[in-house]
Amino acid sequence: MSIVRWGLGLSLFLFASVAQARPSASQSLHDEMSVEVPMTPLSTLHYFGGKVIPHAEVVIVLWGSKVSSTVTGNMPSFFQTVTGSAYLDWLGEYDTDGVSAYDGKGSSNQHVYRGSYKSSVAITPTSSSTTVQDATIQSELAAKIGSSVLPTPTIDSEGGVDTVYFVFFPAGTTVYDDQGGASCSSWCGYHGTFSMTVNNQTASVPYAVIPDMATCSCGGSTTLAEYTITSSHELAEAITDAEVGVTYGVGRPLAFYDTNYGEIGDICENTQGYTDTIGGYTVQKNWSQRLGKCIAQDSSLPLCGSQRPCRACAASDCTTSTSPICDSQDGTCRACQSDAECNGKHCDTTGACVDAPPPPPSTDGGTTPPKGDGGSGTKPTSDSGASSSSPDDDGGSGDTNNGDWNKSGGCSQSPDLPSAPPWALALPIAFAFARRRRR
Ligand SMILES: [Zn+2]
């Protein structure tokens, strides 16, 4: 792969790419072409009011039966690892709850948590052509969702779509984005959005496109690393700019977008030392507006509780009697809610997991009440103490204003936030595809 061949593509992407990972060649070229990102929060990174992805739920879509075994053998584990890791914890700084949008209108009022890997599905595309247009990918995804070949997008309690479809292509297939740019020559990957009706409401469904990497040069020292670098870039950007595909302008419903550099992955791409390792996988760093630098993880985050962004709990973190459960949704230690959460023990009225079940109600006045043989000291108490330990799924709901974002990001001077707009009404009612945003 010659450097000359990539030079033009690189320079074009520096200024024209929004949602794409641009191709890159040797490390020396990376250095030469490095974007000089100031190591302070960018005054040009704004929150434009669109949705983020709270609990990214990755579905791998294999375009036909011949996608590389590098993908089928590794990417499920990669997504499972990364979505449940520190790679997503610090993206909580891109919560939109309490953040004023750049236009002064409503926020999507969401939080960014860890996610999950859902499944991998090989589809049989309607067309077997080796050239595939972006519009075809959107219609194929919608059709396969409609016929239940692919899982239906999950809409969470904050009203956003969690499911993101990562579409992988076989060797020999060239994908063209909506401006005619070809995979591996104009870009290494991109993410977009299409609109479809889910549960009787119009939803912005995010997806990402990853071509076969064996013949691409996308910054990794191995083919797997090229997949994981590109996929991590697109995942982080889809999470923080989920609706990029339903607008062409710089404005709503973009979420976090920098008017000079693009999305949070673009800001860091090809900068010095722009990759890191998460669970053994090479990933791309992304821009932290909070820290003013590119990071993949932040070991200084506090355990999730009252502060965000935060480190999601592990079971071993949740050891107090009143908060014995690690909530997989928001990463906080909380009270138990049912016996099923207590690993064979009983969830008492204080939200503690205790050794013995409560004494069964007496049905025979002549029978001696059962003696607790393991319950001494753990008897159910009255509800007088419950106020300090009641379950709280919302975690830090009372402290969700991301003040740091507004201060450092300079997005708005106004602390007064209008309530969230009815997003569904702002989008087309009928099933419709929207093209990926380009500038
Ligand atoms: Zn990007």
Side-chain angles (χ1 to χ4, degrees), residues 23-351:
S24 50
S26 67
Q27 190 56 53
S28 62
L29 182 58
H30 292 170
D31 295 343
E32 183 184 345
M33 299 300 292
S34 286
V35 179
E36 292 302 322
V37 179
M39 298 305 271
T40 54
L42 295 166
S43 62
T44 45
L45 179 62
H46 302 296
Y47 172 58
F48 286 95
K51 281 192 165 74
V52 296
I53 303 178
H55 302 279
E57 178 186 71
V58 175
V59 173
I60 291 176
V61 179
L62 306 171
W63 194 267
S65 60
K66 295 179 179 171
V67 174
S68 167
S69 61
T70 304
V71 172
T72 57
N74 295 283
M75 296 310 283
S77 171
F78 164 77
F79 282 118
Q80 187 156 30
T81 298
V82 165
T83 57
S85 77
Y87 193 69
L88 266 61
D89 282 341
W90 68 272
L91 293 181
E93 74 177 69
Y94 295 114
D95 288 354
T96 65
D97 187 32
V99 177
S100 296
Y102 190 58
D103 60 7
K105 297 178 182 173
S107 162
S108 66
N109 291 316
Q110 296 169 286
H111 301 84
V112 177
Y113 302 108
R114 288 188 178 187
S116 62
Y117 163 71
K118 187 177 181 71
S119 59
S120 177
V121 181
I123 64 170
T124 302
T126 305
S127 166
S128 57
S129 173
T130 55
T131 60
V132 178
Q133 307 293 328
D134 180 64
T136 303
I137 297 170
Q138 295 191 6
S139 59
E140 196 72 50
L141 288 174
K144 295 297 192 269
I145 291 167
S147 60
S148 298
V149 170
L150 292 174
T152 301
T154 301
I155 297 180
D156 68 26
S157 59
E158 294 184 326
V161 173
D162 283 334
T163 313
V164 52
Y165 301 85
F166 267 78
V167 190
F168 290 87
F169 288 82
T173 293
T174 302
V175 180
Y176 293 90
D177 70 12
D178 63 354
Q179 290 199 334
S183 52
C184 295
S185 57
S186 291
W187 47 267
C188 288
Y190 68 82
H191 70 103
T193 323
F194 62 94
S195 297
M196 67 177 294
T197 300
V198 180
N199 301 337
N200 296 318
Q201 70 180 87
T202 302
S204 295
V205 181
Y207 67 99
V209 171
I210 312 291
D212 185 88
M213 288 289 166
T215 53
C216 275
S217 183
C218 296
S221 59
T222 65
T223 299
L224 176 58
E226 301 200 312
Y227 277 114
T228 58
I229 289 170
T230 304
S231 297
S232 61
H233 172 129
E234 302 306 334
L235 177 64
E237 291 188 339
I239 288 172
T240 54
D241 196 19
E243 296 185 286
V244 65
V246 293
T247 177
Y248 276 82
V250 177
R252 192 174 293 268
L254 291 180
F256 292 95
Y257 177 75
D258 181 88
T259 51
N260 288 332
Y261 297 100
E263 296 171 324
I264 66 166
D266 303 325
I267 298 169
C268 300
E269 185 172 351
N270 290 348
T271 57
Q272 194 82 33
Y274 78 112
T275 62
D276 196 355
T277 302
I278 295 283
Y281 294 101
T282 308
V283 296
Q284 196 202 293
K285 294 177 182 177
N286 298 294
W287 178 257
S288 168
Q289 179 74 356
R290 178 177 52 96
L291 300 178
K293 62 180 180 180
C294 299
I295 63 170
Q297 51 198 319
D298 179 359
S299 60
S300 71
L301 292 177
L303 183 64
C304 288
S306 59
Q307 288 177 266
R308 290 186 57 76
C310 57
R311 175 177 68 82
C313 55
S316 58
D317 291 313
C318 303
T319 55
T320 66
S321 63
T322 52
S323 300
I325 305 300
C326 176
D327 190 303
S328 62
Q329 290 292 296
D330 65 10
T332 60
C333 298
R334 60 162 170 78
C336 64
Q337 295 169 341
S338 70
D339 289 355
E341 291 184 329
C342 286
N343 232 350
K345 295 187 177 183
H346 166 66
C347 180
D348 76 8
T349 56
T350 70

